[in-house]
């Protein structure tokens, strides 16, 4: 592992819409460059909030997020948008593919604002779909693909602008075991290329791939000898 590419200092997020909810509190975290890290814990305890904060999709109530040496929590909204587009790729549980577009076109969409010619977009999109094993599905629309195939299109789209970091929120949450196995293979390939991958997951299969597992409970990092047992009990409550 190398130096941390993502770092947080006392990261806190509080929601107050008549009822105060502390979603994340005082989180100090380091994610090594080139690593595959999983964020785990009971539902509703701050996993996705943490992912959204380190990805610049939301602003913390207090604390800091650093990407390399840039403090994301201190830059302007325009600068943050630029950093996200250049350095970060996002994959979500529900795919978010455009149903009227083909797999190739869905991947191209991510490159349209980057000033890339249409021919280059098509070539790059085809290469990425080949990377995730879908070279024979370029013209297929989402409703013609399985759940696992749609999630692989989403990964190809997230990689379109060659980001350093891939952030994934429950990417296997809607997949059967076979599709999950296919997805894990693709995630492994992406990580082997040197990409830093951070995954929010409940899946032990996904966690088995990780070099680092980050456990969250009640919005805090959980430390201790029997973390998994504690969290499993928390899931059952």
């Amino acid at each position: 592992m190398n130096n941390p590419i993502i770092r947080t200092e006392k990261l806190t997020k509080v929601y107050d819409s008549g009822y105060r909810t502390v979603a994340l509190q005082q989180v100090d975290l380091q994610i090594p460059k080139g690593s595959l890290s999983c964020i785990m814990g009971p539902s509703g305890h701050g996993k996705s909030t943490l992912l959204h904060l380190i990805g610049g999709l939301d602003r913390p109530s207090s604390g800091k997020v650093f990407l390399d040496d840039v403090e994301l929590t201190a830059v302007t909204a325009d600068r943050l948008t630029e950093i996200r587009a250049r350095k970060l790729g996002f994959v979500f549980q529900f795919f978010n593919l455009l149903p009227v577009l083909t797999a190739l076109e869905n991947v191209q969409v991510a490159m349209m604002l980057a000033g890339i010619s249409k021919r280059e977009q098509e070539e790059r999109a085809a290469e990425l779909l080949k990377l995730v094993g879908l070279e024979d599905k370029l013209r297929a629309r989402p409703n013609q693909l399985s759940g696992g195939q749609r999630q692989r299109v989403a990964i190809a789209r997230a990689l379109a602008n060659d980001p350093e970091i891939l952030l994934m929120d429950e990417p296997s949450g809607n997949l059967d075991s076979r599709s999950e196995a296919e997805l894990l293979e693709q995630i492994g390939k992406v990580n082997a290329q040197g990409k830093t991958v951070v995954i929010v997951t409940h899946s032990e299969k996904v966690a088995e791939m990780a070099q680092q597992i980050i456990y969250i409970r009640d919005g805090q990092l959980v430390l201790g000898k029997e973390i998994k047992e504690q969290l499993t009990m928390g899931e059952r409550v």
Side-chain angles (χ1 to χ4, degrees), residues 3-7 65-72 75 87:
N3 294 329
I5 191 170
I6 297 169
R7 179 167 54 91
V65 178
F66 294 89
L67 177 56
D68 289 326
D69 294 324
V70 177
E71 184 186 341
L72 296 187
V75 300
K87 292 204 167 191

Side-chain angles (χ1 to χ4, degrees), residues 91-93 151 168-175 183 187 199-200:
V91 178
F92 300 100
Q93 181 176 354
Q151 196 60 294
M168 312 181 81
D169 196 352
E170 294 285 6
S172 64
N174 285 321
L175 304 182
L183 177 67
I187 291 172
I199 308 173
V200 165

Side-chain angles (χ1 to χ4, degrees), residues 189-234:
K189 287 181 181 178
V190 169
N191 182 235
Q193 290 186 331
K195 305 289 185 189
T196 302
V197 182
V198 184
I199 308 173
V200 165
T201 187
H202 285 98
S203 169
E204 291 293 334
K205 290 289 186 185
V206 176
E208 286 172 5
M209 300 177 62
Q211 293 106 36
Q212 173 177 243
I213 299 179
I214 301 153
Y215 291 99
I216 298 282
R217 188 168 188 175
D218 295 323
Q220 297 177 297
L221 294 189
V222 178
L223 304 175
K225 198 172 181 179
E226 297 181 353
I227 297 171
K228 285 190 179 181
E229 287 79 1
Q230 292 174 32
L231 290 173
T232 300
M233 289 173 63

Side-chain angles (χ1 to χ4, degrees), residues 35 40 48 55-56 78 106 112 114 131 145 157 160 181 191 213 217 234:
S35 68
M40 302 189 75
S48 292
D78 287 346
N106 265 286
M112 288 180 178
L131 172 69
L145 302 171
R157 181 183 57 191
N191 182 235
I213 299 179
R217 188 168 188 175

Side-chain angles (χ1 to χ4, degrees), residues 111-203:
M111 294 178 270
M112 288 180 178
L113 297 179
I116 300 172
S117 71
K118 186 174 180 180
R119 180 178 176 180
E120 288 177 291
Q121 289 176 24
E122 290 181 353
E123 290 175 353
R124 171 76 173 153
E127 287 173 6
L128 289 169
L129 288 168
K130 182 177 180 180
L131 172 69
V132 297
L134 292 176
E135 60 268 34
D136 60 337
K137 300 291 184 181
L138 302 186
R139 305 299 172 187
R141 287 184 167 79
N143 65 356
Q144 298 171 310
L145 302 171
S146 69
Q149 289 171 333
R150 278 178 274 174
Q151 196 60 294
R152 283 189 272 160
V153 174
I155 291 174
R157 181 183 57 191
L159 295 172
N161 292 317
D162 197 25
E164 295 180 49
I165 301 165
L166 189 62
L167 302 178
M168 312 181 81
D169 196 352
E170 294 285 6
S172 64
N174 285 321
L175 304 182
D176 58 32
S177 56
R178 179 179 176 181
S179 296
E180 181 181 57
E182 293 174 356
L183 177 67
L184 296 186
E185 181 181 353
Q186 305 311 319
I187 291 172
K189 287 181 181 178
V190 169
N191 182 235
Q193 290 186 331
K195 305 289 185 189
T196 302
V197 182
V198 184
I199 308 173
V200 165
T201 187
H202 285 98
S203 169

